[in-house]
Amino acid sequence: MSPNNYIHPIMALTYTSYLKIEELLNLQQLQSPNEHDETLFIIIHQAYELWFKQILHETDRVMTLLEQGEINRAQHSMKRILTILKVLVHQVDILETMTPLEFLSFRDYLESASGFQSYQWRELEFVLGRKSEAPMLRFPEGSEIRKKLEKRYHQKHIWQVFLAYLKKSGHNIPEQLLKIEAEKSVESSEEVQQILVNIYRTDTCITQFCELMIDLDEGIQEWRYRHVKMVERTIGYKTGTGGSPGVEYLRSTLFNPLFPDLWAIRSSF
Ligand code: HEM
């Protein structure tokens, strides 16, 4: 039988049913009557959210593997995260093909919707050690989103898990740092910096993992920079749909490292 006249049995899994392609292609619903560029705007945001989901899935794995002492396998997942992050940064180019007027053709229809409300972005910030209650409290108490954020907020972040791994591998991380509440953002520590300097001189495997962490940190900063320039060229200095001062607010989020100790040690060699 040629592939053309082969008929699938009714219940057989197909590409379309497995990947829920019909549902997926029905998720791009314009707010404007029919502005051409709104489709791109929706698809690109949805693509970002899918990749955020995958990154969160991989960061969970990295932390589990570190807890199990499996740094080589954790490195493998880190490399995948970094590859996705490069795509995320690159994807900005696509949206930058949209001129300010093209964006304006549907901007008013967005009302107060904004990337500011991306709860997966906030989950990611929490996982990476940037803990702040404010973005979580904007979601109604008891809602599914709020519960997801609360769970992440009260979970240890990747830097805390990494320090615990260092302790288990025989490095003398101070007890008080290991006991810090999960809800605390990453803070720099001179004691940790001294240990890291020693690791860089003596332990290739952990050094490689540190370098992947700094790639991750730099990648997130790069995304923030590309996003703010995209915003500047698209809406200039107007306020954001999410109600912030826009570019001015976004600039305040630039150049803040996730893992300050990994940056601080650079001048020690
Ligand atoms: C023309 C395109 C875009 C414009 C004009 C724009 C504009 C803005 C503005 C003005 C803010 C500040 C909050 C506000 O007042 O609304 C913001 C925040 C944000 N946007 Fe965008 N954005 C664009 C595309 C994107 C895309 C494609 C993503 C991908 C998910 C995204 C994700 C975010 C995130 C995560 C924040 C919060 C950043 C933070 O608080 O650190 N934006 N955006």
Side-chain angles (χ1 to χ4, degrees), residues 104-133:
L104 267 184
S105 70
F106 62 88
R107 189 185 190 216
D108 284 349
Y109 295 100
L110 303 179
E111 299 177 8
S112 59
S114 160
F116 205 49
Q117 298 150 349
S118 165
Y119 68 86
Q120 289 201 109
W121 176 256
R122 301 303 167 200
E123 280 186 84
L124 190 57
E125 286 192 318
F126 290 174
V127 169
L128 299 180
R130 178 82 36 93
K131 301 265 176 117
S132 154
E133 269 189 319

Short mmCIF file of all heavy atoms in Angstrom, two decimals, residues 104-133:
data_model
loop_
_atom_site.label_atom_id
_atom_site.label_comp_id
_atom_site.label_asym_id
_atom_site.label_seq_id
_atom_site.Cartn_x
_atom_site.Cartn_y
_atom_site.Cartn_z
N LEU A 104 1.86 50.28 17.05
CA LEU A 104 0.76 51.18 17.46
C LEU A 104 -0.58 50.76 16.88
O LEU A 104 -1.63 51.05 17.44
CB LEU A 104 1.07 52.61 17.01
CG LEU A 104 1.78 53.48 18.02
CD1 LEU A 104 1.91 54.90 17.46
CD2 LEU A 104 1.02 53.52 19.34
N SER A 105 -0.53 50.06 15.73
CA SER A 105 -1.80 49.69 15.07
C SER A 105 -2.65 48.79 15.96
O SER A 105 -3.86 48.71 15.79
CB SER A 105 -1.52 49.00 13.73
OG SER A 105 -0.97 47.71 13.96
N PHE A 106 -2.03 48.10 16.94
CA PHE A 106 -2.85 47.25 17.83
C PHE A 106 -2.55 47.48 19.32
O PHE A 106 -3.18 46.88 20.17
CB PHE A 106 -2.67 45.76 17.47
CG PHE A 106 -1.27 45.24 17.63
CD1 PHE A 106 -0.85 44.73 18.85
CD2 PHE A 106 -0.37 45.27 16.57
CE1 PHE A 106 0.44 44.25 19.00
CE2 PHE A 106 0.93 44.80 16.72
CZ PHE A 106 1.34 44.28 17.93
N ARG A 107 -1.61 48.37 19.64
CA ARG A 107 -1.18 48.50 21.04
C ARG A 107 -2.34 48.79 22.00
O ARG A 107 -2.42 48.22 23.08
CB ARG A 107 -0.11 49.60 21.17
CG ARG A 107 0.50 49.58 22.55
CD ARG A 107 1.46 50.69 22.82
NE ARG A 107 2.15 50.45 24.08
CZ ARG A 107 2.50 51.38 24.94
NH1 ARG A 107 2.28 52.65 24.68
NH2 ARG A 107 3.09 51.06 26.07
N ASP A 108 -3.26 49.69 21.58
CA ASP A 108 -4.34 50.05 22.49
C ASP A 108 -5.22 48.86 22.85
O ASP A 108 -5.84 48.83 23.92
CB ASP A 108 -5.21 51.16 21.87
CG ASP A 108 -4.49 52.50 21.95
OD1 ASP A 108 -3.46 52.57 22.66
OD2 ASP A 108 -4.94 53.46 21.28
N TYR A 109 -5.27 47.89 21.95
CA TYR A 109 -6.10 46.72 22.23
C TYR A 109 -5.50 45.84 23.32
O TYR A 109 -6.16 44.94 23.83
CB TYR A 109 -6.31 45.88 20.95
CG TYR A 109 -7.10 46.61 19.88
CD1 TYR A 109 -6.45 47.23 18.81
CD2 TYR A 109 -8.48 46.69 19.95
CE1 TYR A 109 -7.15 47.91 17.84
CE2 TYR A 109 -9.20 47.37 18.98
CZ TYR A 109 -8.53 47.98 17.92
OH TYR A 109 -9.24 48.65 16.96
N LEU A 110 -4.23 46.07 23.63
CA LEU A 110 -3.59 45.23 24.66
C LEU A 110 -4.04 45.62 26.07
O LEU A 110 -3.79 44.89 27.03
CB LEU A 110 -2.06 45.34 24.56
CG LEU A 110 -1.43 44.98 23.21
CD1 LEU A 110 0.09 45.15 23.27
CD2 LEU A 110 -1.78 43.55 22.82
N GLU A 111 -4.69 46.80 26.18
CA GLU A 111 -5.13 47.34 27.47
C GLU A 111 -3.96 47.29 28.46
O GLU A 111 -2.90 47.79 28.16
CB GLU A 111 -6.36 46.58 27.98
CG GLU A 111 -7.53 46.72 27.00
CD GLU A 111 -8.74 45.94 27.39
OE1 GLU A 111 -8.81 45.39 28.50
OE2 GLU A 111 -9.66 45.88 26.55
N SER A 112 -4.15 46.63 29.63
CA SER A 112 -3.05 46.65 30.62
C SER A 112 -2.20 45.38 30.57
O SER A 112 -1.37 45.15 31.46
CB SER A 112 -3.62 46.85 32.02
OG SER A 112 -4.50 45.78 32.30
N ALA A 113 -2.40 44.55 29.52
CA ALA A 113 -1.61 43.32 29.43
C ALA A 113 -0.14 43.68 29.16
O ALA A 113 0.15 44.57 28.37
CB ALA A 113 -2.14 42.43 28.31
N SER A 114 0.78 42.99 29.83
CA SER A 114 2.21 43.29 29.68
C SER A 114 3.05 42.08 30.08
O SER A 114 2.63 41.29 30.93
CB SER A 114 2.56 44.47 30.60
OG SER A 114 3.95 44.52 30.84
N GLY A 115 4.24 41.98 29.49
CA GLY A 115 5.19 40.93 29.86
C GLY A 115 5.53 40.98 31.34
O GLY A 115 5.97 39.98 31.92
N PHE A 116 5.30 42.14 31.93
CA PHE A 116 5.46 42.33 33.37
C PHE A 116 4.68 41.27 34.16
O PHE A 116 5.04 40.89 35.25
CB PHE A 116 4.84 43.70 33.64
CG PHE A 116 5.36 44.40 34.85
CD1 PHE A 116 6.71 44.52 35.07
CD2 PHE A 116 4.49 44.98 35.75
CE1 PHE A 116 7.19 45.19 36.17
CE2 PHE A 116 4.96 45.66 36.86
CZ PHE A 116 6.31 45.76 37.07
N GLN A 117 3.57 40.82 33.55
CA GLN A 117 2.71 39.85 34.24
C GLN A 117 3.07 38.41 33.90
O GLN A 117 2.33 37.49 34.24
CB GLN A 117 1.24 40.11 33.85
CG GLN A 117 0.74 41.48 34.25
CD GLN A 117 -0.33 42.01 33.31
OE1 GLN A 117 -0.58 41.46 32.24
NE2 GLN A 117 -0.97 43.10 33.72
N SER A 118 4.20 38.19 33.21
CA SER A 118 4.60 36.81 32.87
C SER A 118 4.99 36.09 34.16
O SER A 118 6.05 36.32 34.72
CB SER A 118 5.78 36.82 31.90
OG SER A 118 6.36 35.53 31.87
N TYR A 119 4.12 35.18 34.60
CA TYR A 119 4.44 34.54 35.89
C TYR A 119 5.56 33.53 35.76
O TYR A 119 6.29 33.28 36.72
CB TYR A 119 3.18 33.94 36.55
CG TYR A 119 2.58 32.76 35.86
CD1 TYR A 119 3.03 31.47 36.10
CD2 TYR A 119 1.52 32.92 34.97
CE1 TYR A 119 2.47 30.38 35.48
CE2 TYR A 119 0.95 31.84 34.33
CZ TYR A 119 1.43 30.56 34.59
OH TYR A 119 0.87 29.49 33.97
N GLN A 120 5.73 32.99 34.55
CA GLN A 120 6.86 32.06 34.40
C GLN A 120 8.20 32.81 34.48
O GLN A 120 9.18 32.28 34.96
CB GLN A 120 6.77 31.33 33.07
CG GLN A 120 5.64 30.31 33.02
CD GLN A 120 5.91 29.28 31.93
OE1 GLN A 120 6.20 28.14 32.22
NE2 GLN A 120 5.84 29.69 30.68
N TRP A 121 8.21 34.05 33.98
CA TRP A 121 9.43 34.86 34.12
C TRP A 121 9.75 35.06 35.60
O TRP A 121 10.89 34.96 36.04
CB TRP A 121 9.25 36.20 33.39
CG TRP A 121 10.41 37.13 33.56
CD1 TRP A 121 10.48 38.23 34.37
CD2 TRP A 121 11.70 37.04 32.92
NE1 TRP A 121 11.72 38.82 34.28
CE2 TRP A 121 12.48 38.11 33.39
CE3 TRP A 121 12.26 36.15 32.00
CZ2 TRP A 121 13.80 38.32 32.97
CZ3 TRP A 121 13.57 36.36 31.59
CH2 TRP A 121 14.32 37.43 32.06
N ARG A 122 8.70 35.34 36.40
CA ARG A 122 8.91 35.51 37.85
C ARG A 122 9.35 34.20 38.49
O ARG A 122 10.22 34.20 39.36
CB ARG A 122 7.63 36.01 38.54
CG ARG A 122 7.11 37.33 38.02
CD ARG A 122 8.13 38.45 38.13
NE ARG A 122 7.72 39.61 37.36
CZ ARG A 122 8.54 40.57 36.96
NH1 ARG A 122 9.82 40.53 37.26
NH2 ARG A 122 8.08 41.59 36.28
N GLU A 123 8.78 33.08 38.03
CA GLU A 123 9.21 31.78 38.57
C GLU A 123 10.70 31.61 38.31
O GLU A 123 11.46 31.16 39.16
CB GLU A 123 8.45 30.63 37.90
CG GLU A 123 7.07 30.39 38.46
CD GLU A 123 6.45 29.14 37.83
OE1 GLU A 123 6.71 28.04 38.30
OE2 GLU A 123 5.70 29.30 36.85
N LEU A 124 11.09 31.98 37.08
CA LEU A 124 12.49 31.83 36.68
C LEU A 124 13.39 32.72 37.56
O LEU A 124 14.44 32.29 38.04
CB LEU A 124 12.63 32.19 35.20
CG LEU A 124 13.96 31.87 34.55
CD1 LEU A 124 14.29 30.39 34.68
CD2 LEU A 124 13.93 32.24 33.07
N GLU A 125 12.93 33.94 37.78
CA GLU A 125 13.71 34.84 38.66
C GLU A 125 13.87 34.22 40.05
O GLU A 125 14.94 34.27 40.64
CB GLU A 125 13.04 36.21 38.75
CG GLU A 125 13.20 37.04 37.48
CD GLU A 125 12.80 38.50 37.68
OE1 GLU A 125 11.76 38.76 38.33
OE2 GLU A 125 13.49 39.39 37.17
N PHE A 126 12.79 33.62 40.56
CA PHE A 126 12.87 33.01 41.90
C PHE A 126 13.86 31.85 41.90
O PHE A 126 14.69 31.72 42.79
CB PHE A 126 11.49 32.49 42.34
CG PHE A 126 10.48 33.58 42.66
CD1 PHE A 126 9.16 33.26 42.96
CD2 PHE A 126 10.84 34.92 42.68
CE1 PHE A 126 8.22 34.24 43.25
CE2 PHE A 126 9.90 35.92 42.97
CZ PHE A 126 8.60 35.57 43.26
N VAL A 127 13.77 31.00 40.86
CA VAL A 127 14.66 29.84 40.79
C VAL A 127 16.12 30.29 40.72
O VAL A 127 17.01 29.67 41.29
CB VAL A 127 14.31 28.98 39.54
CG1 VAL A 127 15.38 27.94 39.29
CG2 VAL A 127 12.97 28.31 39.72
N LEU A 128 16.34 31.41 40.01
CA LEU A 128 17.72 31.88 39.82
C LEU A 128 18.19 32.77 40.97
O LEU A 128 19.26 33.38 40.91
CB LEU A 128 17.85 32.62 38.49
CG LEU A 128 17.53 31.77 37.25
CD1 LEU A 128 17.68 32.58 35.98
CD2 LEU A 128 18.42 30.53 37.18
N GLY A 129 17.35 32.87 42.00
CA GLY A 129 17.81 33.54 43.22
C GLY A 129 17.45 34.99 43.35
O GLY A 129 17.97 35.69 44.21
N ARG A 130 16.55 35.46 42.52
CA ARG A 130 16.06 36.84 42.65
C ARG A 130 14.66 36.75 43.28
O ARG A 130 13.69 36.57 42.57
CB ARG A 130 16.04 37.47 41.26
CG ARG A 130 15.54 38.85 41.10
CD ARG A 130 16.51 39.95 41.39
NE ARG A 130 17.91 39.78 41.04
CZ ARG A 130 18.46 40.18 39.89
NH1 ARG A 130 17.74 40.74 38.98
NH2 ARG A 130 19.75 40.04 39.70
N LYS A 131 14.62 36.81 44.62
CA LYS A 131 13.34 36.62 45.31
C LYS A 131 12.75 37.97 45.71
O LYS A 131 13.44 38.79 46.32
CB LYS A 131 13.53 35.76 46.56
CG LYS A 131 14.10 34.38 46.30
CD LYS A 131 13.04 33.32 46.17
CE LYS A 131 13.59 31.97 45.83
NZ LYS A 131 13.38 30.94 46.82
N SER A 132 11.51 38.17 45.33
CA SER A 132 10.83 39.40 45.74
C SER A 132 9.34 39.10 45.78
O SER A 132 8.80 38.50 44.85
CB SER A 132 11.14 40.50 44.71
OG SER A 132 10.12 41.44 44.68
N GLU A 133 8.71 39.49 46.90
CA GLU A 133 7.29 39.14 47.06
C GLU A 133 6.37 39.92 46.13
O GLU A 133 5.33 39.43 45.71
CB GLU A 133 6.87 39.42 48.51
CG GLU A 133 7.06 38.23 49.42
CD GLU A 133 6.43 38.49 50.77
OE1 GLU A 133 6.56 39.62 51.28
OE2 GLU A 133 5.82 37.57 51.29
#
